[in-house]
Amino acid sequence: MGTTISGANCALVTGAAIWCAGRLGAGRRTRILLAAAMLAGFVLVVGPDASVQRAALMAVVVLASGFGGKRAVSLPGLGAAMLVMLLANPWQALQPGFALSVAATAGILLLVPEIERLFRRVLPVPRWAVLPVAVALSAQLACGPLLLFLQPGIPAVGILANVVADPAAPLGTGLGLLALVILPFSAAAGECAVMLAGLPARWISATAEVAARLPLSTWPWPDGWPGALLLAAVESAVLLAWALASRRVRLPEDREAGRVPWVGTRGLSVRGRALVAGLLCASAGAFTGPVLIAPAVDRIGTPNDWSIVACDVGQGDALLLRDPSSPARVMLVDTGDDPEALRTCLDRFGVRRLALLVLTHDDRDHVDALGEVLDLADAALVAPENRADGSGRPVLAQLRDAGVPYRVGAAGQRGGNDGLAYEVLAPRAGSVPADTNAASVVLRVRAGGVTALLLADTGEDEQRVLRAGGADLSAEVVKVAHHGSRDQDHALAGAAGAELALISVGADNGYGHPATDTVAAFEGAGSRTLRTDRHGSLAVSGPPGALRVWAERAVPVSGDD
């Protein structure tokens, strides 16, 4: 959206200059030169921000094409602008913003007239209503493959967000420039203009936030080079089909023009129609595969009777627990630090609300994706403060700002109901642990008929104290502490006697997690170990003694699986 907003600001300045010059009777070339001068002044006033410079140079390309009087001037102008920017700062070639600005400008120059003409042919609406949609769609099509290198999925609401935000951009720019003019003469009037200019800025910010949270705001799509090449191939196939159907590209047998008596305009040849149909069918198939078919297959294969899920969020923790007979009441223990991975897990397993959000401690790999679920949580349970971090805790500020009620966990606390109940086993009430790991909230949770022991990031010392305290540590499922690190009380594996030991760990992490002796300790106690780095997200269902495990990724069974 930022590229579009910068472009809209430049468009406002140049458009205002051209309108005023036109009202004074200036010729076309004079109007364009005046607009270029106003654009240079705007850049000097706003400052040397990279996005403003790129937007200004792209606006110069459009002005140059108009000055020449031929649309064909625009593409050489774009090439000249790219050359000027790279000569001024060659390192821009490595910046995503540079590539996106060039791609968006090229898309607008090449596609807007045709898309606008097509829309107005199908829908009899005025040009002012069609043009913003055509501009946003053209930029989105041109930038789509590049965006896959920056973020996963296709931002399906990007066009809507840009169309909704566009009117606010020129309004905010106009009020800001007005404030700049008024402030030297009247501080009060200038401050009023600045305050009014802030309203469109809030509108743009709110549009981005609301659009990002709309259902289906992002469509699934492969990221990186495979996804970019696939999307580029789909778009190219559609454009080629359109070019053939509109006779901008012609097969040898379709080069004859004119009208046929009693029929009208000469239609495409059989081969031309077959080629257009083949291109459209191939692009539709390639598009619907990642967007519709693959997610549907995943959803069908995902169990709906799960009681415990270990989400694959990389080197972090995020566990879901519920009673399968009351699927709406869900507990989330930690969030990991990857909001997109957490959202994918919640969507896959149909989680819409959280009866309780537990933040076992404040380390980033357990709480950094908190913002993704703040609006879903009814209540929260958090770790106590520790001597290393003190009382200034951003996690608590986030919960307060979101209006989520919370309480500090301490041994002996109980909560929930018969279907989903928990007991806090550590840390001791009134204690101030040495650091975040020592402050970890340890839980024993009953999810339906399955009991889980969740050890957070406790180390050997905390686990020895826990075992010596006489608490009931027996469970069917245990979440191994600290991603399976070496800092473990191996006797605790025997005390738990779990059927399954879940290790939430990132692939190829630099910590050596999970440690071989930790895995061996649980397997020696009769537990089957399962790891998110190898299996992806893991869902546990079934009754004790006959637990079933669904794994996102199937891997060959080995001695430490």
Side-chain angles (χ1 to χ4, degrees):
M1 187 182 291
T3 300
T4 302
I5 298 305
S6 296
N9 293 337
C10 293
L12 171 68
V13 173
T14 55
I18 290 174
W19 182 82
C20 291
R23 300 288 292 181
L24 295 175
R28 177 171 59 83
R29 297 193 176 189
T30 302
R31 295 197 301 269
I32 291 174
L33 290 173
L34 179 60
M38 289 288 291
L39 184 61
F42 173 75
V43 173
L44 289 175
V45 169
V46 173
D49 183 80
S51 66
V52 175
Q53 291 180 355
R54 288 193 296 265
L57 269 175
M58 295 305 120
V60 168
V61 170
V62 178
L63 290 174
S65 66
F67 186 86
K70 295 180 180 180
R71 184 181 165 195
V73 176
S74 59
L75 291 180
L78 177 58
M82 291 171 56
L83 183 61
V84 168
M85 286 189 287
L86 292 176
L87 288 174
N89 181 10
W91 292 106
Q92 286 193 90
L94 302 178
Q95 297 177 0
F98 174 79
L100 292 173
S101 293
V102 172
T105 304
I108 290 170
L109 291 173
L110 294 174
L111 300 179
V112 164
E114 304 300 336
I115 292 176
E116 180 188 355
R117 189 178 298 113
L118 177 62
F119 279 1
R120 295 186 69 184
R121 185 183 306 162
V122 175
L123 299 172
V125 293
R127 185 174 186 270
W128 61 264
V130 172
L131 187 59
V133 179
V135 170
L137 179 57
S138 300
Q140 183 79 17
L141 289 173
C143 294
L146 296 176
L147 289 172
L148 292 170
F149 291 102
L150 305 177
Q151 60 187 26
I154 298 175
V157 298
I159 298 170
L160 174 63
N162 280 319
V163 170
V164 172
D166 268 353
L171 182 60
T173 302
L175 290 171
L177 291 175
L178 180 64
L180 185 67
V181 173
I182 294 176
L183 275 170
F185 303 101
S186 173
E191 289 175 1
C192 181
V194 169
M195 183 180 65
L196 291 175
L199 296 178
R202 292 195 201 101
W203 172 261
I204 294 171
S205 176
T207 299
E209 293 177 4
V210 172
R213 296 186 178 276
L214 288 175
L216 302 177
S217 61
T218 301
W219 293 344
W221 194 267
D223 55 4
W225 278 106
L229 292 175
L230 179 60
L231 184 58
V234 169
E235 293 181 354
S236 298
V238 173
L239 290 175
L240 181 56
W242 166 80
L244 287 168
S246 60
R247 296 178 182 269
R248 284 166 174 78
V249 174
R250 300 188 183 191
L251 297 175
E253 54 266 46
D254 289 321
R255 287 175 181 168
E256 293 185 10
R259 299 177 63 84
V260 178
W262 310 105
V263 175
T265 303
R266 187 186 302 274
L268 285 178
S269 63
V270 173
R271 190 158 72 105
R273 291 196 298 269
L275 187 54
V276 169
L279 287 169
L280 291 177
C281 289
S283 61
F287 185 79
T288 56
V291 172
L292 296 177
I293 298 175
V297 171
D298 277 349
R299 184 60 60 87
I300 292 172
T302 302
N304 56 16
D305 61 343
W306 57 269
S307 53
I308 302 171
V309 170
C311 295
D312 180 13
V313 292
Q315 185 71 6
D317 276 9
L319 288 95
L320 299 167
L321 302 101
R322 71 173 188 182
D323 177 2
S325 63
S326 300
R329 286 185 52 80
V330 179
M331 176 189 299
L332 172 63
V333 180
D334 291 330
T335 68
D337 61 359
D338 186 338
E340 185 65 30
L342 178 61
R343 171 55 58 185
T344 298
C345 186
L346 296 177
D347 290 343
R348 177 189 291 276
F349 293 98
V351 177
R352 299 291 178 264
R353 294 294 304 174
L354 299 173
L356 181 66
L357 169 64
V358 180
L359 303 174
T360 60
H361 60 296
D362 293 4
D363 284 353
R364 60 179 297 273
D365 57 334
H366 291 252
V367 301
D368 263 20
L370 174 59
E372 189 68 23
V373 294
L374 279 173
D375 58 343
L376 306 181
D378 296 331
L381 180 72
V382 301
E385 64 184 63
N386 60 84
R387 292 195 296 272
D389 293 341
S391 58
R393 302 170 60 190
V395 164
L396 302 186
Q398 283 184 272
L399 292 171
R400 284 192 294 265
D401 292 345
V404 179
Y406 67 88
R407 67 170 176 166
V408 177
Q413 291 178 353
R414 297 174 184 269
N417 54 32
D418 292 339
L420 181 63
Y422 68 89
E423 177 186 4
V424 181
L425 304 182
R428 180 172 51 85
S431 65
V432 181
D435 54 31
T436 53
N437 287 348
S440 291
V441 175
V442 178
L443 297 172
R444 188 170 183 265
V445 182
R446 186 175 66 255
V450 180
T451 301
L453 177 63
L454 311 180
L455 296 171
D457 272 8
T458 52
E460 181 177 4
D461 293 341
E462 292 78 36
Q463 292 174 21
R464 286 185 184 277
V465 171
L466 184 64
R467 186 165 54 85
D472 184 3
L473 303 179
S474 62
E476 286 79 44
V477 178
V478 60
K479 199 291 294 185
V480 179
H482 207 171
H483 322 294
S485 72
R486 295 184 183 278
D487 187 17
Q488 309 279 341
D489 173 23
H490 293 161
L492 188 141
E499 296 180 45
L500 299 173
L502 306 181
I503 304 175
S504 184
V505 62
D508 301 322
N509 65 85
Y511 306 101
H513 296 162
T516 303
D517 53 353
T518 299
V519 173
F522 280 95
E523 291 189 339
S527 302
R528 180 189 175 197
T529 59
L530 296 162
R531 303 161 43 167
T532 57
D533 61 335
R534 295 186 175 180
H535 303 92
S537 295
L538 298 159
V540 179
S541 54
L547 295 179
R548 302 185 305 275
V549 179
W550 173 90
E552 181 181 8
R553 294 190 296 271
V555 297
V557 176
S558 62
D560 57 355
D561 282 335

